Amino acid sequence: MSDLQRYVSVRPNSCQKRLETMGFYLFVHFGVNTFTGREWGTGKESPICFNPTELDTDQWCAVASEIGAKGIILTAKHHDGFCLWQTETTPHSVRNSPFRNGKGDVLKELEQSCKKFGLALGVYLSPWDRNAPSYGTEAYNDFYCRQLEELLTRYGDLFTVWLDGACGAHMDGKPVQTYDFARYFEMIRTLQPECAISNCGPDVRWVGNEAGLCRASEWNVVPRFSFDLQKVAEHSQQDESGLKVDFDVVSEDLGSRAVLSQFDDFIWYPAEVDVSIRKGWFYHPLQRPKRVDHLLNIYYGAVGGNCMLLLNIPPDKRGKFAERDVKRLKQFANRLQSAFANLVTPHRIDAPTGKPGMSAEDFADEKTYSPAQVAPSYRIAFGWDGPKTVDKVVITENIDYSQRVEEFRISTVTSDGSETLLYRGTTIGHKKIALFRPTRCDNLIFTITACRLEPYIESFRIYEADFRQPRKPLFAELKRRLHRLSYRMFVKRTQKN
Ligand code: FUL
């Protein structure tokens, strides 16, 4: 098998496919921190402080579905150890709070609302627990597994369990906990085989910052080694073959041919962008939601950059999303709706001969197109009658055949026969949204200039301009570099402690 054949033989499992198809879902950080104003609770909070007076999970779900999010992940337990469900594992839970006289169960209410609104439900269960007396001992793994079991058996189908890698146990003077991740994973796979294991898990990769920034080229096929890195946050280490690689979760290039050629074991590992609508993850009255252009740039970068977007909306002390956030989210949804309101239907598609059942005509019907022959480049021309002003294209690869496109460009041919370049891109993967300047034309040429064997293009949708593209983010690249640097400094510091 050639190297390229090996790379494209790596494909998503069914949990990963479901997540990639969902594309956009919400995070809800809610718990004792909502009432104490902290981001990381100490674990010493009294359950009495948890008292949402108007908890309204229907409102969360109504907002989620209105803005096109497909699911919600709730912080069932954050680092403070306080449980939002009726657990039998610890008294540190809603059971000992005034919320619904100790009878309430936030996760149960959310499960029912999600059902009502057709949304998927996910849970965040922090491995780091500042309240559990057993933390730092082997008994903690039993305790954690009992919590997992309750969540996996009482709340219907979960689309994901989000395992947060954050740990500040040294701050509490506690011994470092060795998490039995293998046991956690096995329990999740056994009890809910369709549930994705995120973050420290094998199904979803953390994008590397919490600012909503993703790489220009996001790869799904990466060295298996990058999964170990999610659990062991070390800056630079040896892989199994003893090769010294400068490679970590924030590295810029995780999956180009140059990187893959240094390894011999690969996994499908799509990235998720987790970011909050406000500065903090929990609700703080003085923080403001991000501007609409900022939210749109995050959306285009993540959903349109081969990542999943996990956007956090923190409920306030009432237990509802703040009006200000809801208003902002509606404006955001409006802009998206207008951006994708007018699809251009091509009348002619000219492309290299396709495989049987995967020809260019099939492509027009949104079925996969794949050229019969491997070639150095592939030129696919779309034409329509009468010029239209277009400014964006959504391209998807059929990931059942892996991720293959490495470089492409979009251009248009003017009446004098000259070609004008509109967009130059690298990876496509599950979804690429290519935004370019509004251009009046009656054709677009999609040229794939580098590819791992032949491409499998599932769709190429062209949209008319609404002249409301967000302003380009300033210094995005610089910000990404700074985040990378600060992450590495953080890791170095924690390793010293
Ligand atoms: C981090 C946590 O420490 C934050 O509080 C938040 O939950 C974020 C999503 O993950 O690691």
Side-chain angles (χ1 to χ4, degrees), residues 438-481:
T439 306
R440 198 159 169 76
C441 57
D442 63 2
N443 67 83
L444 283 184
I445 318 292
F446 172 40
T447 314
I448 297 169
T449 48
C451 193
R452 296 175 183 174
L453 305 174
E454 75 281 23
Y456 284 79
I457 305 297
E458 189 178 54
S459 65
F460 187 91
R461 294 202 194 102
I462 305 162
Y463 291 90
E464 281 189 60
D466 67 339
F467 301 97
R468 295 171 79 197
Q469 275 189 23
R471 254 180 297 148
K472 288 249 160 1
L474 287 176
F475 313 118
E477 182 47 38
L478 183 69
K479 281 190 197 152
R480 217 148 41 88
R481 278 169 200 248

Side-chain angles (χ1 to χ4, degrees), residues 417-437:
S418 61
E419 212 167 304
T420 309
L421 180 69
L422 300 177
Y423 189 90
R424 197 188 278 281
T426 56
T427 50
I428 294 178
H430 170 64
K431 189 180 276 181
K432 175 76 203 177
I433 305 178
L435 297 180
F436 46 87
R437 62 178 185 278

